[in-house]
Each structure stands twice: as structure tokens, then as C-alpha cells.
């Protein structure tokens, strides 16, 4: 195997800039904190929400994108909690920058505990999406993504946006559909803290989009196919 030494993608960035950078890489401290966070998170989901998972065998080796419906802040926590081993260590939740990266304190929590990367609603640049796509393939990452673009305030899944297509159309990176049930009842947007409600997660078979062109039409086709796969898991 060829070995190529290169500096970290975030080398030379100031701390505040590094927290919000799409090029951020995990250091030893982040790995240790992330492992402790995941252990506590899994215990919380099992004890407080009696999380039931089906289809875990559908999760491939990295890289892949894990997508689901989005009704609650519990969604990203639940998807992060079900990942194991290398997938867990390489996972990044794509989080709303205006919500989770508005201050240095919230940025530090999102970056070091959850390992989130910021996506800025209504002002994400094409170059930023290209960076995410490049890192997904080259660094063999796992992205946790909610293609609706925002939480459904009424708990009803909305149409998927074409951003998922920008990331995977024309690549062989698998997209794993999942459906979350119970998160909206447990922690709706208007509630300050979660309630002890049972959660169910169904994970479907991976989708691939290597044959889909990286064009607007291809991105929209990818979004439609992903949405259909998630809806099929509702039953």
C-alpha cells in the first residue's frame, strides 16, 4: 500500500476558525472526548428512551452517508449513538451553523463532543459543498445528514432537498436511509428538554448513485430516491 504523508487539513488555523472549519480533523483529545460522549449517549438512549434498532446490519464500512427524517435534536444524537468502531470515529453530523456554531462555547461542544461540521443555511457556497464531497471520499468519512434541511415542526416529513445529490451523485459512496420514530414526541422543537419516550430506528439497505450525473437534474433525482427509501421504512 502506498503511503503519502500530508499535513492535517486544518493545520495552521486559529482555534476559533478551526472549530467552524469544514477541514477540521480529529486530534487525540477530540477522539478521547468523543468516545466518552458516545458511551454516555448510548447509555442515555437505552435507559431514558428504550431505543430499539432494526437493520443495523445494513451499515457498511466507511465512507457512507446516513440520512433520516428530521423532527428533533434527538435525531442526530440517536444516529450518532448507533454507529460503532471505525464508522463512529469517522462520523460527522452536518449541523446548522447558525444554531450550533453561533458562539465559541457552542462551537466547541459541537466540534469536540459531537464532531459536527457546520452547514450555513441559505449561505452555503458551492466550494464548501465541494470540500464536503472531497473529504467524504478521500478521508473515508461518515456523514449524518437530514436532507429536509430543517426540523419538521409538526413531525411530518417534508420533501428532501437536492444537497444530498451534490454530495454523492456520480460517486460510489453508499447512502443509508433510516427512519426515526418517537423523536418528535420525546423532544419537539418547542420543548426545552426531552421527555422519556420510546424511540425506534429502522435502517434500510444502502443506495448508490454512481450512475447519476452530477447535474441539477441528477441531484434532484438523488433526493427523490433517498426520500422514497426513507418513506418506505415508515411502516
Amino acid at each position: 500500500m502506498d503511503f503519502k504523508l500530508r499535513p492535517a487539513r486544518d493545520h495552521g488555523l486559529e482555534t476559533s476558525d478551526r472549530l467552524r472549519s469544514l477541514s477540521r480533523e480529529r486530534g487525540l483529545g477530540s477522539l478521547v472526548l468523543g468516545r466518552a460522549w458516545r458511551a454516555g449517549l448510548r447509555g442515555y438512549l437505552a435507559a431514558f428512551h428504550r431505543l430499539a434498532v432494526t437493520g443495523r446490519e445494513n451499515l457498511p464500512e466507511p465512507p457512507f452517508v446516513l440520512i433520516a427524517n428530521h423532527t428533533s435534536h434527538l435525531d442526530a444524537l440517536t444516529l450518532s449513538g448507533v454507529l460503532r468502531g471505525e464508522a463512529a470515529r469517522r462520523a460527522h453530523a452536518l449541523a446548522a451553523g447558525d444554531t450550533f456554531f453561533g458562539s465559541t462555547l457552542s462551537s466547541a461542544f459541537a466540534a469536540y463532543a459531537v464532531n459536527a461540521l457546520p452547514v450555513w443555511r441559505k449561505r452555503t457556497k458551492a466550494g464548501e459543498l465541494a470540500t464536503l464531497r472531497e473529504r467524504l471520499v478521500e478521508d473515508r468519512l461518515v456523514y449524518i445528514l437530514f436532507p429536509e434541511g430543517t426540523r419538521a415542526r409538526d413531525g411530518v416529513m417534508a420533501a428532501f432537498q437536492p444537497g444530498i445529490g451534490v454530495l454523492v451523485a456520480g460517486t460510489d459512496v453508499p447512502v443509508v436511509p433510516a427512519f426515526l420514530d418517537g423523536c418528535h414526541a420525546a423532544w419537539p422543537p418547542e420543548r426545552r428538554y426531552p421527555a422519556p419516550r420510546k424511540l425506534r430506528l429502522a435502517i434500510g439497505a444502502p443506495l448508490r448513485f454512481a450512475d447519476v450525473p452530477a447535474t441539477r437534474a441528477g441531484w434532484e433525482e438523488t433526493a427523490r430516491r433517498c426520500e422514497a427509501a426513507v418513506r418506505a421504512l415508515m411502516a
Side-chain angles (χ1 to χ4, degrees):
M1 181 182 294
D2 293 334
F3 177 78
K4 184 178 181 181
L5 180 66
R6 65 169 177 81
R9 291 179 182 269
D10 57 359
H11 178 71
L13 292 179
E14 297 292 335
T15 300
S16 59
D17 294 330
R18 183 176 181 274
L19 292 174
R20 298 177 175 86
S21 174
L22 296 179
S23 298
R24 191 185 71 248
E25 295 191 12
R26 305 199 83 164
L28 179 59
S30 178
L31 286 169
V32 172
L33 181 58
R35 182 174 182 176
W37 167 261
R38 290 193 301 274
L41 177 60
R42 289 166 186 158
Y44 162 77
L45 291 170
F48 201 67
H49 296 291
R50 294 169 292 146
L51 174 63
V53 182
T54 58
R56 194 190 296 271
E57 68 278 2
N58 288 318
L59 293 171
E61 292 298 313
F64 64 89
V65 180
L66 181 58
I67 62 170
N69 55 309
H70 194 24
T71 62
S72 168
H73 285 321
L74 275 174
D75 299 337
L77 297 178
T78 303
L79 295 184
S80 297
V82 302
L83 297 176
R84 298 289 188 272
E86 194 68 14
R89 290 187 290 273
R90 292 178 179 269
H92 293 271
L94 301 189
D98 52 331
T99 300
F100 296 97
F101 289 85
S103 69
T104 300
L105 182 61
S106 63
S107 296
F109 175 80
Y112 290 121
V114 189
N115 204 31
L117 294 175
V119 177
W120 303 93
R121 285 187 284 230
K122 298 184 179 180
R123 60 186 182 95
T124 299
K125 300 175 183 177
E128 293 170 339
L129 291 174
T131 297
L132 288 171
R133 178 181 169 106
E134 176 185 299
R135 290 203 64 193
L136 175 63
V137 176
E138 292 186 1
D139 296 350
R140 300 185 62 79
L141 300 181
V142 174
Y143 287 160
I144 296 171
L145 173 64
F146 302 102
E148 292 164 90
T150 188
R151 287 174 293 166
R153 291 327 197 244
D154 57 1
V156 178
M157 195 174 89
F160 282 11
Q161 302 302 309
I164 179 63
V166 177
L167 290 177
V168 301
T171 77
D172 198 39
V173 174
V175 177
V176 181
F179 180 74
L180 288 156
D181 183 40
C183 291
H184 185 263
W187 199 5
E190 67 274 8
R191 188 181 177 95
R192 188 168 184 179
Y193 300 109
R197 301 286 191 274
K198 183 176 176 58
L199 305 183
R200 181 180 68 88
L201 172 63
I203 303 172
L207 310 172
R208 294 182 184 271
F209 299 95
D211 60 335
V212 177
T215 63
R216 182 72 188 188
W219 302 336
E220 292 174 349
E221 178 188 344
T222 300
R224 286 193 296 270
R225 287 169 56 183
C226 287
E227 181 182 338
V230 173
R231 290 189 183 278
L233 296 169
M234 289 183 179

